[in-house]
Amino acid sequence: MSTSQTHDIHVLNGLIETTLDSADGYREASKETENPRYREVFNARSAERQRVAGDLQGAVRSLGGEPEDDGSILAKAHRAFLDVKHALLRDEQAVVNSVENGEDHIKAKFERALEDSDVSATTRETIRRAFDSVKSGHDQMRDLKHAMERTDGEPVPPPATH
């Protein structure tokens, strides 16, 4: 295996881990919200992130690597902290803020991967396709957060998925 392939596998596995964390975060958010419309959006985004992770895992396999199949320990600890915070606050805004913070993290990680000059053109295209989905989720949660801030945390219809 070439150094280029090893680097691509490393970058893709980092994105897989973060994408699986995102899927888990959305799944947890769907359990935490009492709003059925938010639950539907969070479940849809969780499934979409699972598909993105699956696509990235396929790319790792095609490079001859072993794909990540689990999220990070840090993300699990962060979700546990947020579970406690939400239980104490019982606040829809806290759930949406948590999801939106996670979206900022995953979007930044994908942007860094796209800017990595050592990633092959084929892998960069795989990352770009996945990023389109990630950016859509990010923008949807950002818009939801801002809509809730304008209504003092009152539930608002979630923005449509793109």
Side-chain angles (χ1 to χ4, degrees), residues 1-14 59-60 62-67 116 118-120 123:
M1 184 176 309
S2 73
T3 304
S4 173
Q5 284 176 304
T6 301
H7 181 71
D8 285 5
I9 290 167
H10 175 76
V11 169
L12 289 168
N13 272 331
V60 168
S62 74
L63 291 168
E66 185 64 34
D116 185 335
D118 294 329
V119 169
S120 72
T123 296

Side-chain angles (χ1 to χ4, degrees), residues 17-18 30 51 53 91-92 103-104 121 124 126 132 135:
E17 186 176 83
T18 302
S30 76
R51 285 190 299 278
D91 181 6
E92 294 291 334
E103 286 300 300
D104 286 344
R124 186 177 324 284
T126 299
D132 290 344
K135 186 168 182 333

Side-chain angles (χ1 to χ4, degrees), residues 33-113:
T33 186
E34 295 177 12
N35 184 313
R37 292 180 74 180
Y38 293 176
R39 187 174 303 116
E40 181 181 321
V41 168
F42 295 155
N43 281 327
R45 285 289 171 193
S46 177
E48 173 252 340
R49 292 297 159 84
Q50 285 293 130
R51 285 190 299 278
V52 168
D55 291 346
L56 295 173
Q57 288 166 330
V60 168
R61 282 187 206 93
S62 74
L63 291 168
E66 185 64 34
E68 284 290 328
D69 62 358
D70 198 14
S72 70
I73 304 260
L74 182 60
K76 288 175 178 68
H78 181 67
R79 281 192 301 278
F81 166 76
L82 292 173
D83 289 347
V84 170
K85 178 180 174 185
H86 179 70
L88 294 172
L89 296 176
R90 292 283 177 215
D91 181 6
E92 294 291 334
Q93 183 78 49
V95 174
V96 171
N97 286 348
S98 170
V99 170
E100 201 267 339
N101 285 339
E103 286 300 300
D104 286 344
H105 174 72
I106 191 172
K107 180 179 174 250
K109 190 157 184 178
F110 270 82
E111 288 171 339
R112 283 190 303 274

